[in-house]
Coordinates of all heavy atoms in Angstrom, one line a residue:
F1 N 22.2 -46.5 47.2 CA 23.4 -45.9 46.7 C 24.3 -45.2 47.7 O 25.5 -45.3 47.6 CB 23.1 -44.9 45.5 CG 22.7 -45.6 44.2 CD1 21.5 -45.5 43.6 CD2 23.7 -46.3 43.5 CE1 21.1 -46.0 42.5 CE2 23.4 -47.0 42.3 CZ 22.1 -46.8 41.9
F2 N 23.6 -44.6 48.8 CA 24.4 -44.1 49.8 C 25.2 -45.2 50.5 O 26.4 -45.0 50.8 CB 23.5 -43.3 50.7 CG 24.2 -42.9 52.0 CD1 25.1 -41.7 51.9 CD2 24.1 -43.6 53.3 CE1 25.7 -41.3 53.1 CE2 24.8 -43.2 54.3 CZ 25.5 -42.0 54.3
F3 N 24.5 -46.3 50.9 CA 25.2 -47.4 51.6 C 26.4 -47.9 50.7 O 27.4 -48.2 51.2 CB 24.3 -48.5 51.9 CG 23.2 -48.2 52.9 CD1 21.9 -48.7 52.8 CD2 23.5 -47.4 54.1 CE1 21.0 -48.4 53.8 CE2 22.6 -47.2 55.1 CZ 21.3 -47.7 54.9
V4 N 26.1 -48.1 49.4 CA 27.1 -48.7 48.6 C 28.3 -47.8 48.4 O 29.5 -48.3 48.5 CB 26.5 -49.0 47.2 CG1 27.6 -49.4 46.2 CG2 25.5 -50.2 47.2
F5 N 28.1 -46.5 48.1 CA 29.2 -45.6 47.9 C 30.0 -45.3 49.1 O 31.2 -45.2 49.2 CB 28.8 -44.4 47.1 CG 28.5 -44.6 45.7 CD1 27.2 -44.4 45.2 CD2 29.4 -45.1 44.9 CE1 26.9 -44.6 43.9 CE2 29.1 -45.4 43.5 CZ 27.9 -45.1 43.0
T6 N 29.3 -45.1 50.2 CA 30.0 -44.9 51.4 C 30.7 -46.0 52.0 O 31.9 -45.9 52.4 CB 28.9 -44.4 52.6 OG1 28.2 -43.3 52.1 CG2 29.5 -44.1 53.9
G7 N 30.1 -47.2 51.8 CA 30.8 -48.4 52.2 C 32.1 -48.7 51.4 O 33.1 -49.1 51.9
A8 N 31.9 -48.4 50.1 CA 33.0 -48.7 49.2 C 34.2 -47.7 49.5 O 35.3 -48.1 49.5 CB 32.6 -48.4 47.8
A9 N 33.9 -46.4 49.9 CA 35.0 -45.5 50.3 C 35.7 -46.0 51.5 O 36.9 -46.0 51.6 CB 34.4 -44.1 50.4
L10 N 34.9 -46.4 52.5 CA 35.5 -46.7 53.8 C 36.3 -48.0 53.7 O 37.5 -48.1 54.1 CB 34.3 -46.9 54.9 CG 33.6 -45.7 55.2 CD1 32.5 -46.1 56.2 CD2 34.6 -44.7 55.9
L11 N 35.7 -49.0 53.0 CA 36.5 -50.3 52.8 C 37.7 -50.1 51.9 O 38.7 -50.8 52.0 CB 35.6 -51.4 52.4 CG 34.7 -52.0 53.4 CD1 33.9 -53.1 52.9 CD2 35.5 -52.5 54.6
A12 N 37.5 -49.3 50.9 CA 38.7 -49.0 50.0 C 39.9 -48.4 50.8 O 41.0 -48.8 50.6 CB 38.3 -48.2 48.8
C13 N 39.6 -47.4 51.6 CA 40.6 -46.8 52.5 C 41.3 -48.0 53.4 O 42.5 -48.0 53.5 CB 40.0 -45.7 53.3 SG 39.7 -44.3 52.4
L14 N 40.4 -48.8 54.0 CA 40.9 -49.8 54.9 C 41.7 -50.8 54.1 O 42.8 -51.3 54.5 CB 39.7 -50.5 55.6 CG 40.0 -51.5 56.6 CD1 40.6 -50.7 57.8 CD2 38.8 -52.3 56.9
A15 N 41.3 -51.1 52.8 CA 42.1 -52.1 52.0 C 43.4 -51.5 51.6 O 44.4 -52.2 51.6 CB 41.2 -52.4 50.7
M16 N 43.5 -50.2 51.2 CA 44.7 -49.6 50.8 C 45.6 -49.5 52.0 O 46.8 -49.7 51.8 CB 44.4 -48.2 50.2 CG 43.7 -48.3 48.8 SD 43.3 -46.7 48.2 CE 44.9 -45.9 47.8
Y17 N 45.1 -49.2 53.2 CA 45.9 -49.2 54.4 C 46.5 -50.6 54.7 O 47.7 -50.6 55.1 CB 45.1 -48.7 55.6 CG 45.9 -48.5 56.8 CD1 46.8 -47.5 57.0 CD2 45.7 -49.4 57.9 CE1 47.5 -47.4 58.2 CE2 46.5 -49.3 59.1 CZ 47.4 -48.4 59.2 OH 48.1 -48.2 60.3
S18 N 45.8 -51.6 54.5 CA 46.3 -53.0 54.7 C 46.9 -53.6 53.5 O 47.2 -54.9 53.5 CB 45.2 -53.8 55.2 OG 44.2 -54.0 54.3
R19 N 47.0 -52.8 52.4 CA 47.7 -53.3 51.2 C 47.1 -54.4 50.6 O 47.7 -55.4 50.2 CB 49.2 -53.5 51.4 CG 50.0 -52.3 51.8 CD 51.3 -52.5 51.9 NE 52.0 -51.2 52.3 CZ 53.2 -51.1 52.8 NH1 53.9 -52.1 53.0 NH2 53.6 -49.9 53.1
Q20 N 45.7 -54.4 50.5 CA 45.0 -55.5 49.9 C 44.3 -54.9 48.6 O 44.2 -53.7 48.5 CB 43.8 -55.9 50.8 CG 44.3 -56.6 52.1 CD 45.1 -57.8 51.8 OE1 44.7 -58.6 51.0 NE2 46.1 -58.0 52.6
P21 N 44.1 -55.7 47.6 CA 43.4 -55.2 46.4 C 42.0 -54.6 46.6 O 41.3 -55.1 47.5 CB 43.4 -56.4 45.5 CG 44.0 -57.6 46.1 CD 44.3 -57.1 47.6
L22 N 41.7 -53.6 45.9 CA 40.4 -52.9 46.1 C 39.3 -53.9 45.7 O 38.2 -53.8 46.3 CB 40.3 -51.7 45.2 CG 41.2 -50.6 45.7 CD1 41.1 -49.4 44.8 CD2 40.8 -50.1 47.1
L23 N 39.5 -54.8 44.8 CA 38.5 -55.7 44.4 C 38.1 -56.6 45.5 O 36.8 -56.8 45.7 CB 39.0 -56.6 43.3 CG 38.0 -57.5 42.6 CD1 36.8 -56.7 42.0 CD2 38.6 -58.4 41.5
V24 N 38.9 -57.0 46.4 CA 38.6 -57.7 47.6 C 37.7 -56.9 48.6 O 36.7 -57.4 49.1 CB 39.8 -58.2 48.3 CG1 39.5 -58.8 49.7 CG2 40.7 -59.1 47.5
A25 N 38.0 -55.7 48.7 CA 37.2 -54.8 49.5 C 35.8 -54.6 48.9 O 34.8 -54.7 49.7 CB 37.9 -53.4 49.6
Y26 N 35.6 -54.5 47.7 CA 34.3 -54.4 47.0 C 33.5 -55.7 47.1 O 32.3 -55.7 47.3 CB 34.5 -53.9 45.5 CG 35.1 -52.6 45.4 CD1 35.8 -52.4 44.3 CD2 35.0 -51.6 46.4 CE1 36.4 -51.1 44.0 CE2 35.6 -50.4 46.2 CZ 36.3 -50.1 45.0 OH 36.9 -48.9 44.9
I27 N 34.1 -56.9 47.1 CA 33.4 -58.1 47.3 C 33.0 -58.3 48.6 O 31.8 -58.7 48.9 CB 34.4 -59.2 46.8 CG1 34.6 -59.3 45.3 CG2 33.8 -60.6 47.2 CD1 35.5 -60.2 44.8
V28 N 33.8 -57.9 49.7 CA 33.4 -57.9 51.1 C 32.3 -57.0 51.3 O 31.3 -57.4 52.0 CB 34.7 -57.6 51.9 CG1 34.2 -57.4 53.4 CG2 35.7 -58.7 51.8
L29 N 32.3 -55.8 50.7 CA 31.1 -54.9 50.9 C 29.9 -55.4 50.3 O 28.9 -55.3 51.0 CB 31.5 -53.5 50.1 CG 30.4 -52.5 50.2 CD1 30.3 -52.0 51.6 CD2 30.7 -51.4 49.3
G30 N 30.0 -56.1 49.2 CA 28.7 -56.7 48.7 C 28.1 -57.8 49.5 O 26.9 -57.9 49.7
T31 N 29.1 -58.5 50.1 CA 28.7 -59.6 51.0 C 28.0 -59.0 52.3 O 27.1 -59.6 52.8 CB 29.9 -60.4 51.4 OG1 30.5 -60.9 50.2 CG2 29.5 -61.6 52.3
I32 N 28.6 -57.9 52.8 CA 28.1 -57.3 54.1 C 26.8 -56.6 53.8 O 25.8 -56.9 54.6 CB 29.2 -56.3 54.6 CG1 30.3 -57.0 55.1 CG2 28.5 -55.5 55.7 CD1 31.5 -56.1 55.4
L33 N 26.7 -55.8 52.8 CA 25.4 -55.1 52.5 C 24.3 -55.9 51.9 O 23.2 -55.6 52.0 CB 25.7 -53.9 51.6 CG 26.6 -52.8 52.1 CD1 26.7 -51.7 51.2 CD2 26.0 -52.3 53.4
G34 N 24.6 -57.0 51.3 CA 23.6 -57.8 50.6 C 22.5 -58.4 51.4 O 22.6 -58.4 52.6
P35 N 21.5 -59.1 50.8 CA 20.5 -59.7 51.6 C 20.9 -60.8 52.5 O 20.2 -61.2 53.4 CB 19.5 -60.2 50.5 CG 20.3 -60.3 49.3 CD 21.4 -59.3 49.3
F36 N 22.0 -61.4 52.3 CA 22.4 -62.5 53.2 C 23.4 -62.0 54.2 O 23.8 -62.8 55.1 CB 23.1 -63.6 52.3 CG 22.2 -64.2 51.3 CD1 22.4 -64.0 50.0 CD2 21.1 -64.9 51.8 CE1 21.5 -64.5 49.1 CE2 20.2 -65.4 50.8 CZ 20.4 -65.3 49.5
G37 N 23.8 -60.8 54.2 CA 24.7 -60.2 55.2 C 23.8 -59.5 56.3 O 23.0 -60.0 56.9
L38 N 24.1 -58.2 56.4 CA 23.3 -57.3 57.2 C 21.9 -57.0 56.7 O 21.0 -56.6 57.4 CB 24.1 -56.0 57.5 CG 25.3 -56.1 58.3 CD1 26.0 -54.7 58.4 CD2 25.1 -56.7 59.7
G39 N 21.7 -57.2 55.4 CA 20.4 -57.0 54.8 C 20.0 -55.5 54.6 O 18.8 -55.2 54.6
L40 N 21.0 -54.7 54.6 CA 20.7 -53.2 54.4 C 20.2 -53.1 53.0 O 19.4 -52.1 52.7 CB 22.0 -52.4 54.6 CG 22.5 -52.4 56.0 CD1 23.8 -51.6 56.0 CD2 21.5 -51.8 57.0
V41 N 20.6 -53.8 52.0 CA 20.1 -53.7 50.6 C 19.3 -54.9 50.3 O 19.8 -56.0 50.2 CB 21.2 -53.5 49.7 CG1 20.7 -53.4 48.2 CG2 22.0 -52.3 49.9
Q42 N 18.0 -54.8 50.3 CA 17.1 -55.9 50.2 C 16.7 -56.1 48.7 O 16.6 -57.2 48.3 CB 15.8 -55.7 51.1 CG 16.1 -55.9 52.5 CD 16.4 -57.3 52.9 OE1 15.9 -58.2 52.3 NE2 17.1 -57.5 53.9
D43 N 16.3 -55.0 48.0 CA 15.8 -55.1 46.6 C 16.9 -55.1 45.7 O 17.3 -54.0 45.1 CB 14.8 -54.0 46.4 CG 14.1 -54.1 45.1 OD1 14.2 -55.2 44.5 OD2 13.4 -53.2 44.7
V44 N 17.6 -56.2 45.4 CA 18.7 -56.3 44.5 C 18.4 -56.1 43.1 O 19.3 -55.7 42.3 CB 19.6 -57.5 44.8 CG1 20.2 -57.5 46.2 CG2 18.8 -58.7 44.6
A45 N 17.1 -56.3 42.8 CA 16.8 -56.1 41.3 C 16.8 -54.7 40.9 O 17.1 -54.4 39.8 CB 15.4 -56.7 41.2
R46 N 16.7 -53.8 41.9 CA 16.8 -52.4 41.5 C 18.2 -51.9 41.2 O 18.5 -50.9 40.5 CB 16.2 -51.4 42.6 CG 14.7 -51.7 42.8 CD 14.2 -50.7 43.6 NE 14.2 -49.4 43.0 CZ 13.5 -48.3 43.5 NH1 12.8 -48.5 44.6 NH2 13.6 -47.2 42.9
L47 N 19.2 -52.6 41.7 CA 20.6 -52.3 41.5 C 21.2 -53.2 40.5 O 22.4 -53.1 40.3 CB 21.4 -52.4 42.9 CG 21.0 -51.5 44.0 CD1 21.8 -51.8 45.3 CD2 21.2 -50.1 43.6
S48 N 20.5 -54.0 39.8 CA 21.0 -55.0 38.9 C 21.9 -54.5 37.8 O 22.9 -55.0 37.3 CB 20.0 -55.9 38.4 OG 19.1 -55.2 37.5

């Protein structure tokens, strides 16, 4: 949850600064943190 909420806050600020929709930032965050990205969140069943 720390990774998800901290990443969401950082990418949301970056998206707002670059005038992109927040939904795009959240999708990018899921791609980065997920098991096929950096792999910081491995057990996705717990977050389902």
Side-chain angles (χ1 to χ4, degrees):
F1 281 114
F2 174 76
F3 289 142
V4 170
F5 287 120
T6 304
L10 293 174
L11 281 181
C13 289
L14 190 70
M16 290 176 67
Y17 181 73
S18 62
R19 296 186 180 162
Q20 297 297 318
L22 289 178
L23 186 60
V24 173
Y26 297 150
I27 291 172
V28 169
L29 177 69
T31 305
I32 291 171
L33 292 181
F36 300 111
L38 295 176
L40 295 176
V41 178
Q42 290 289 329
D43 189 13
V44 293
R46 294 188 72 170
L47 296 177
S48 65

